Amino acid sequence: MKDEKEFSAVKNSIQTRLSGVMLLVLIFALGINVFIFAQIRTAVGRIDAVFSSNTAINELSDSIEQVESTVYEYLNTNSSQALENYYRYEQNYRNLLEDLNDRNLDNEAKMLEKNIRRMSETYLDQTNETVQAKRGRNVEKYKTSYEDEHKLYEYINSYSYKLNNLRFKMNSANYQLLLSAMNVLYKMCIAVMLVVYALGLVVTTLLVRNMIRPLTALSNTAHEVAMGNLNVPQLPVVVEDEVGIVTRSFNQMLESIRQNIEQLKDSMERQAQMKERELLMETHLKEAQLKYLQAQINPHFLFNSLNAGAQLAMMGDADKTGIFLEKMADFFRYNVRKMEEDAMLWEEVEAVDNYIYILNVRFAGDITYIKEVDEGIENIRIPSMILQPLVENAVQHGIHDCMKTGWIRMSIHQNEDMLDITISDNGAGMTEEMIAKVMSGSASQDNEDRFSTGIAVRNVIDRLQLYYKQKEFFTIESDGPDTGTTVHIMIPVEKDDTEIPKDGE
């Protein structure tokens, strides 16, 4: 164990680390020099390859000269050896042509290569024609053909000479550039060596600074803890030396001090979680209350409506019966479908229209219904089953038992960002005591066959309060018995982009 500690101390000593840094700097310098010398060697290779293009042009000129000489020999001697040499030299020349440029480029040398290649292809075709004419013993033809291909031969030689001169000038300039580049590389090598050694000095300085930095950080952190600040971060143990051992001990001491604080934090978090669960349960309770209030609306109206439909059918009026049943189906379909959803204003107004139509069939048209709704506000979103219970209340407790002709007026207007809804009747009216009971929810049900004012109106009030999370938007006004009643609602406007369905859709 003692030997291991001594080995660790030697391994992590400042002398060892400094020696390691210097070794790395020297290896880096060696690598840079190897790279530079490799670049110099590559430049020398490029210098050797500078004049290779002139060699290729000379090889091309020699090859076409061989082709020309073998054609001339064959025309004079008609020997099979000359013909065989011609085909061999002709194929070799074609192979050399493949290395020449064949595209239109903005370069004089490349355009000369293209011209030489095109003329050479024509020349080879002409020599082949000359040879075939000779083999066919057509003297006039091969003489004429030979003259044509010899002219092409001279043109090609002149172009090759021009290209060779142009290449020589270009290669001479490139050669000078490569020599200049080599001189720059030599100078760069010396500069890089100086930079590397300077970099080694900087790295050594930084290494010493990094060795001192843990001691400085430990001193500053200890001062913060002594001043009462226990929220300082733990110090990292960079190196396993004496400073590292002291740092680890300091971290353990600081951690033990923090444990009590963490326990207090955990206790506070648990209390916060319990509070959050209580708020969540309260939210769920409000949602359950909203669904319960929605479920109170008019469960037995179906039976009276079906009875009215049956009576209408017994009277034999099939058209009226069909319309009545359609209106009734639309009303109850909306009632069921929208029980737990929001609704559009036009849907609520349509439900009221269907309800009034059903009642007028049941009561032989005794109810006068007046509707005033602003244009362009049909897509305002409101809670479902709000308007119909209020109209129903006006019918059941307002005008149902009146001796005079009863009417109900529903007006809906938009006032900037508020929706103004008013439902009034000319029925029995209400006293201030009755209004107070309805608003407080203490009114009782007085008839099993129809909703009482207390349940229907209070139901709407409670759902609006849960939906909009405010209270001051619902009022009931009446001047007393037999003076009628007015219900007034002011709620915020919530637009919706859903289109209003057309008739028949």
Side-chain angles (χ1 to χ4, degrees), residues 387-450:
L387 302 182
Q388 185 271 332
L390 298 178
V391 173
E392 180 179 7
N393 183 76
V395 172
Q396 297 288 350
H397 299 279
I399 66 173
H400 188 271
D401 296 326
C402 288
M403 301 302 296
K404 58 184 178 181
T405 301
W407 55 261
I408 294 177
R409 179 190 303 274
M410 182 176 69
S411 62
I412 305 175
H413 307 286
Q414 183 177 354
N415 183 12
E416 295 181 355
D417 57 348
M418 299 297 291
L419 190 65
D420 189 344
I421 302 173
T422 303
I423 298 175
S424 57
D425 61 72
N426 65 337
M430 300 177 68
T431 63
E432 293 183 0
E433 182 181 359
M434 294 172 62
I435 293 175
K437 288 183 178 180
V438 170
M439 295 298 293
S440 64
S442 60
S444 60
Q445 185 175 351
D446 60 358
N447 194 317
E448 293 182 356
D449 294 334
R450 52 196 184 187

Side-chain angles (χ1 to χ4, degrees), residues 262 280 340:
E262 292 296 328
L280 184 61
E340 296 183 359

Side-chain angles (χ1 to χ4, degrees), residues 424-480:
S424 57
D425 61 72
N426 65 337
M430 300 177 68
T431 63
E432 293 183 0
E433 182 181 359
M434 294 172 62
I435 293 175
K437 288 183 178 180
V438 170
M439 295 298 293
S440 64
S442 60
S444 60
Q445 185 175 351
D446 60 358
N447 194 317
E448 293 182 356
D449 294 334
R450 52 196 184 187
F451 288 133
S452 71
T453 302
I455 293 179
V457 176
R458 189 61 211 180
N459 182 289
V460 173
I461 296 173
D462 291 341
R463 288 193 295 120
L464 287 174
Q465 289 178 351
L466 287 172
Y467 189 90
Y468 292 104
K469 296 179 176 59
Q470 60 183 21
K471 295 183 178 181
E472 303 300 328
F473 53 77
F474 190 100
T475 59
I476 301 176
E477 300 173 359
S478 179
D479 294 334

Side-chain angles (χ1 to χ4, degrees), residues 14-34:
I14 296 176
Q15 181 180 357
T16 303
R17 279 180 277 178
L18 287 175
S19 299
V21 169
M22 294 304 299
L23 180 61
L24 289 176
V25 170
L26 291 175
I27 292 175
F28 180 74
L30 179 62
I32 293 295
N33 280 286
V34 170

Side-chain angles (χ1 to χ4, degrees), residues 24-92:
L24 289 176
V25 170
L26 291 175
I27 292 175
F28 180 74
L30 179 62
I32 293 295
N33 280 286
V34 170
F35 174 77
I36 291 176
F37 283 117
Q39 295 298 316
I40 294 175
R41 184 174 180 179
T42 302
V44 172
R46 291 178 179 176
I47 292 175
D48 294 335
V50 161
F51 296 101
S52 61
S53 59
N54 289 102
T55 304
I57 297 299
N58 292 332
E59 185 178 356
L60 192 69
S61 299
D62 293 340
S63 180
I64 193 173
E65 183 178 356
Q66 289 175 337
V67 173
E68 181 67 18
S69 62
T70 53
V71 171
Y72 181 81
E73 181 183 355
Y74 177 72
L75 294 179
N76 290 322
T77 63
N78 198 25
S79 67
S80 59
Q81 182 63 39
L83 181 62
E84 182 180 350
N85 290 337
Y86 162 73
Y87 284 119
R88 186 172 67 255
Y89 293 145
E90 186 262 353
Q91 183 60 44
N92 181 58

Side-chain angles (χ1 to χ4, degrees), residues 203-216:
V203 170
T204 303
T205 303
L206 292 177
L207 178 62
V208 173
R209 183 179 300 175
N210 288 335
M211 293 177 183
I212 298 175
R213 187 175 299 166
L215 284 173
T216 304

